[in-house]
mmCIF file with all atom_site columns, all heavy atoms in Angstrom:
data_model
loop_
_atom_site.group_PDB
_atom_site.id
_atom_site.type_symbol
_atom_site.label_atom_id
_atom_site.label_alt_id
_atom_site.label_comp_id
_atom_site.label_asym_id
_atom_site.label_entity_id
_atom_site.label_seq_id
_atom_site.pdbx_PDB_ins_code
_atom_site.Cartn_x
_atom_site.Cartn_y
_atom_site.Cartn_z
_atom_site.occupancy
_atom_site.B_iso_or_equiv
_atom_site.pdbx_formal_charge
_atom_site.auth_seq_id
_atom_site.auth_comp_id
_atom_site.auth_asym_id
_atom_site.auth_atom_id
_atom_site.pdbx_PDB_model_num
ATOM 1  N N   . ARG A 1 23 ? 16.050 52.667 43.331 1.00 85.00 ? 23 ARG A N   1
ATOM 2  C CA  . ARG A 1 23 ? 16.194 53.352 42.056 1.00 85.00 ? 23 ARG A CA  1
ATOM 3  C C   . ARG A 1 23 ? 16.011 52.373 40.904 1.00 85.00 ? 23 ARG A C   1
ATOM 4  O O   . ARG A 1 23 ? 16.051 51.164 41.099 1.00 85.00 ? 23 ARG A O   1
ATOM 5  C CB  . ARG A 1 23 ? 17.570 54.018 41.967 1.00 85.00 ? 23 ARG A CB  1
ATOM 6  C CG  . ARG A 1 23 ? 17.835 55.054 43.067 1.00 85.00 ? 23 ARG A CG  1
ATOM 7  C CD  . ARG A 1 23 ? 19.282 55.477 43.042 1.00 85.00 ? 23 ARG A CD  1
ATOM 8  N NE  . ARG A 1 23 ? 20.169 54.346 43.332 1.00 85.00 ? 23 ARG A NE  1
ATOM 9  C CZ  . ARG A 1 23 ? 21.490 54.397 43.264 1.00 85.00 ? 23 ARG A CZ  1
ATOM 10 N NH1 . ARG A 1 23 ? 22.086 55.538 42.924 1.00 85.00 ? 23 ARG A NH1 1
ATOM 11 N NH2 . ARG A 1 23 ? 22.222 53.337 43.537 1.00 85.00 ? 23 ARG A NH2 1
ATOM 12 N N   . ILE A 1 24 ? 15.862 52.904 39.722 1.00 88.00 ? 24 ILE A N   1
ATOM 13 C CA  . ILE A 1 24 ? 15.716 52.057 38.528 1.00 88.00 ? 24 ILE A CA  1
ATOM 14 C C   . ILE A 1 24 ? 16.958 51.200 38.320 1.00 88.00 ? 24 ILE A C   1
ATOM 15 O O   . ILE A 1 24 ? 16.879 50.022 37.969 1.00 88.00 ? 24 ILE A O   1
ATOM 16 C CB  . ILE A 1 24 ? 15.450 52.922 37.278 1.00 88.00 ? 24 ILE A CB  1
ATOM 17 C CG1 . ILE A 1 24 ? 14.134 53.698 37.424 1.00 88.00 ? 24 ILE A CG1 1
ATOM 18 C CG2 . ILE A 1 24 ? 15.404 52.049 36.021 1.00 88.00 ? 24 ILE A CG2 1
ATOM 19 C CD1 . ILE A 1 24 ? 12.918 52.819 37.548 1.00 88.00 ? 24 ILE A CD1 1
ATOM 20 N N   . THR A 1 25 ? 18.125 51.794 38.571 1.00 89.00 ? 25 THR A N   1
ATOM 21 C CA  . THR A 1 25 ? 19.377 51.048 38.395 1.00 89.00 ? 25 THR A CA  1
ATOM 22 C C   . THR A 1 25 ? 19.471 49.871 39.366 1.00 89.00 ? 25 THR A C   1
ATOM 23 O O   . THR A 1 25 ? 20.065 48.840 39.043 1.00 89.00 ? 25 THR A O   1
ATOM 24 C CB  . THR A 1 25 ? 20.585 51.981 38.603 1.00 89.00 ? 25 THR A CB  1
ATOM 25 O OG1 . THR A 1 25 ? 20.452 52.646 39.867 1.00 89.00 ? 25 THR A OG1 1
ATOM 26 C CG2 . THR A 1 25 ? 20.668 53.013 37.498 1.00 89.00 ? 25 THR A CG2 1
ATOM 27 N N   . ASP A 1 26 ? 18.886 50.007 40.567 1.00 85.00 ? 26 ASP A N   1
ATOM 28 C CA  . ASP A 1 26 ? 18.885 48.904 41.530 1.00 85.00 ? 26 ASP A CA  1
ATOM 29 C C   . ASP A 1 26 ? 18.058 47.732 41.008 1.00 85.00 ? 26 ASP A C   1
ATOM 30 O O   . ASP A 1 26 ? 18.453 46.571 41.136 1.00 85.00 ? 26 ASP A O   1
ATOM 31 C CB  . ASP A 1 26 ? 18.325 49.379 42.873 1.00 85.00 ? 26 ASP A CB  1
ATOM 32 C CG  . ASP A 1 26 ? 19.187 50.447 43.515 1.00 85.00 ? 26 ASP A CG  1
ATOM 33 O OD1 . ASP A 1 26 ? 20.412 50.402 43.308 1.00 85.00 ? 26 ASP A OD1 1
ATOM 34 O OD2 . ASP A 1 26 ? 18.634 51.327 44.196 1.00 85.00 ? 26 ASP A OD2 1
ATOM 35 N N   . ILE A 1 27 ? 16.915 48.038 40.415 1.00 89.00 ? 27 ILE A N   1
ATOM 36 C CA  . ILE A 1 27 ? 16.056 46.983 39.861 1.00 89.00 ? 27 ILE A CA  1
ATOM 37 C C   . ILE A 1 27 ? 16.763 46.284 38.705 1.00 89.00 ? 27 ILE A C   1
ATOM 38 O O   . ILE A 1 27 ? 16.767 45.054 38.614 1.00 89.00 ? 27 ILE A O   1
ATOM 39 C CB  . ILE A 1 27 ? 14.713 47.583 39.398 1.00 89.00 ? 27 ILE A CB  1
ATOM 40 C CG1 . ILE A 1 27 ? 13.960 48.191 40.586 1.00 89.00 ? 27 ILE A CG1 1
ATOM 41 C CG2 . ILE A 1 27 ? 13.866 46.514 38.705 1.00 89.00 ? 27 ILE A CG2 1
ATOM 42 C CD1 . ILE A 1 27 ? 12.690 48.907 40.198 1.00 89.00 ? 27 ILE A CD1 1
ATOM 43 N N   . VAL A 1 28 ? 17.382 47.070 37.823 1.00 90.00 ? 28 VAL A N   1
ATOM 44 C CA  . VAL A 1 28 ? 18.120 46.491 36.694 1.00 90.00 ? 28 VAL A CA  1
ATOM 45 C C   . VAL A 1 28 ? 19.264 45.621 37.186 1.00 90.00 ? 28 VAL A C   1
ATOM 46 O O   . VAL A 1 28 ? 19.522 44.522 36.662 1.00 90.00 ? 28 VAL A O   1
ATOM 47 C CB  . VAL A 1 28 ? 18.646 47.603 35.763 1.00 90.00 ? 28 VAL A CB  1
ATOM 48 C CG1 . VAL A 1 28 ? 19.547 47.015 34.677 1.00 90.00 ? 28 VAL A CG1 1
ATOM 49 C CG2 . VAL A 1 28 ? 17.489 48.364 35.132 1.00 90.00 ? 28 VAL A CG2 1
ATOM 50 N N   . GLU A 1 29 ? 19.950 46.088 38.229 1.00 91.00 ? 29 GLU A N   1
ATOM 51 C CA  . GLU A 1 29 ? 21.077 45.333 38.791 1.00 91.00 ? 29 GLU A CA  1
ATOM 52 C C   . GLU A 1 29 ? 20.622 43.994 39.357 1.00 91.00 ? 29 GLU A C   1
ATOM 53 O O   . GLU A 1 29 ? 21.273 42.965 39.153 1.00 91.00 ? 29 GLU A O   1
ATOM 54 C CB  . GLU A 1 29 ? 21.746 46.162 39.875 1.00 91.00 ? 29 GLU A CB  1
ATOM 55 C CG  . GLU A 1 29 ? 23.043 45.561 40.391 1.00 91.00 ? 29 GLU A CG  1
ATOM 56 C CD  . GLU A 1 29 ? 23.744 46.469 41.386 1.00 91.00 ? 29 GLU A CD  1
ATOM 57 O OE1 . GLU A 1 29 ? 23.100 47.436 41.862 1.00 91.00 ? 29 GLU A OE1 1
ATOM 58 O OE2 . GLU A 1 29 ? 24.915 46.205 41.694 1.00 91.00 ? 29 GLU A OE2 1
ATOM 59 N N   . VAL A 1 30 ? 19.498 43.998 40.063 1.00 91.00 ? 30 VAL A N   1
ATOM 60 C CA  . VAL A 1 30 ? 18.957 42.749 40.618 1.00 91.00 ? 30 VAL A CA  1
ATOM 61 C C   . VAL A 1 30 ? 18.571 41.782 39.500 1.00 91.00 ? 30 VAL A C   1
ATOM 62 O O   . VAL A 1 30 ? 18.842 40.576 39.573 1.00 91.00 ? 30 VAL A O   1
ATOM 63 C CB  . VAL A 1 30 ? 17.743 43.053 41.521 1.00 91.00 ? 30 VAL A CB  1
ATOM 64 C CG1 . VAL A 1 30 ? 17.033 41.759 41.902 1.00 91.00 ? 30 VAL A CG1 1
ATOM 65 C CG2 . VAL A 1 30 ? 18.185 43.795 42.768 1.00 91.00 ? 30 VAL A CG2 1
ATOM 66 N N   . LEU A 1 31 ? 17.958 42.297 38.436 1.00 92.00 ? 31 LEU A N   1
ATOM 67 C CA  . LEU A 1 31 ? 17.564 41.442 37.312 1.00 92.00 ? 31 LEU A CA  1
ATOM 68 C C   . LEU A 1 31 ? 18.786 40.833 36.620 1.00 92.00 ? 31 LEU A C   1
ATOM 69 O O   . LEU A 1 31 ? 18.787 39.654 36.267 1.00 92.00 ? 31 LEU A O   1
ATOM 70 C CB  . LEU A 1 31 ? 16.738 42.251 36.313 1.00 92.00 ? 31 LEU A CB  1
ATOM 71 C CG  . LEU A 1 31 ? 15.345 42.697 36.781 1.00 92.00 ? 31 LEU A CG  1
ATOM 72 C CD1 . LEU A 1 31 ? 14.683 43.574 35.730 1.00 92.00 ? 31 LEU A CD1 1
ATOM 73 C CD2 . LEU A 1 31 ? 14.472 41.494 37.097 1.00 92.00 ? 31 LEU A CD2 1
ATOM 74 N N   . ILE A 1 32 ? 19.839 41.637 36.454 1.00 92.00 ? 32 ILE A N   1
ATOM 75 C CA  . ILE A 1 32 ? 21.059 41.136 35.819 1.00 92.00 ? 32 ILE A CA  1
ATOM 76 C C   . ILE A 1 32 ? 21.708 40.045 36.666 1.00 92.00 ? 32 ILE A C   1
ATOM 77 O O   . ILE A 1 32 ? 22.107 38.984 36.159 1.00 92.00 ? 32 ILE A O   1
ATOM 78 C CB  . ILE A 1 32 ? 22.051 42.287 35.568 1.00 92.00 ? 32 ILE A CB  1
ATOM 79 C CG1 . ILE A 1 32 ? 21.506 43.231 34.493 1.00 92.00 ? 32 ILE A CG1 1
ATOM 80 C CG2 . ILE A 1 32 ? 23.422 41.740 35.139 1.00 92.00 ? 32 ILE A CG2 1
ATOM 81 C CD1 . ILE A 1 32 ? 22.352 44.473 34.288 1.00 92.00 ? 32 ILE A CD1 1
ATOM 82 N N   . LEU A 1 33 ? 21.814 40.294 37.975 1.00 91.00 ? 33 LEU A N   1
ATOM 83 C CA  . LEU A 1 33 ? 22.415 39.303 38.869 1.00 91.00 ? 33 LEU A CA  1
ATOM 84 C C   . LEU A 1 33 ? 21.580 38.026 38.913 1.00 91.00 ? 33 LEU A C   1
ATOM 85 O O   . LEU A 1 33 ? 22.133 36.912 38.945 1.00 91.00 ? 33 LEU A O   1
ATOM 86 C CB  . LEU A 1 33 ? 22.555 39.888 40.277 1.00 91.00 ? 33 LEU A CB  1
ATOM 87 C CG  . LEU A 1 33 ? 23.615 40.987 40.451 1.00 91.00 ? 33 LEU A CG  1
ATOM 88 C CD1 . LEU A 1 33 ? 23.553 41.574 41.854 1.00 91.00 ? 33 LEU A CD1 1
ATOM 89 C CD2 . LEU A 1 33 ? 25.003 40.428 40.160 1.00 91.00 ? 33 LEU A CD2 1
ATOM 90 N N   . THR A 1 34 ? 20.255 38.162 38.906 1.00 91.00 ? 34 THR A N   1
ATOM 91 C CA  . THR A 1 34 ? 19.384 36.983 38.900 1.00 91.00 ? 34 THR A CA  1
ATOM 92 C C   . THR A 1 34 ? 19.591 36.167 37.634 1.00 91.00 ? 34 THR A C   1
ATOM 93 O O   . THR A 1 34 ? 19.688 34.938 37.675 1.00 91.00 ? 34 THR A O   1
ATOM 94 C CB  . THR A 1 34 ? 17.913 37.415 39.012 1.00 91.00 ? 34 THR A CB  1
ATOM 95 O OG1 . THR A 1 34 ? 17.733 38.191 40.198 1.00 91.00 ? 34 THR A OG1 1
ATOM 96 C CG2 . THR A 1 34 ? 16.998 36.198 39.058 1.00 91.00 ? 34 THR A CG2 1
#
Side-chain angles (χ1 to χ4, degrees):
R23 300 170 297 174
I24 298 298
T25 53
D26 296 328
I27 298 175
V28 174
E29 188 175 13
V30 170
L31 292 176
I32 292 174
L33 289 174
T34 303

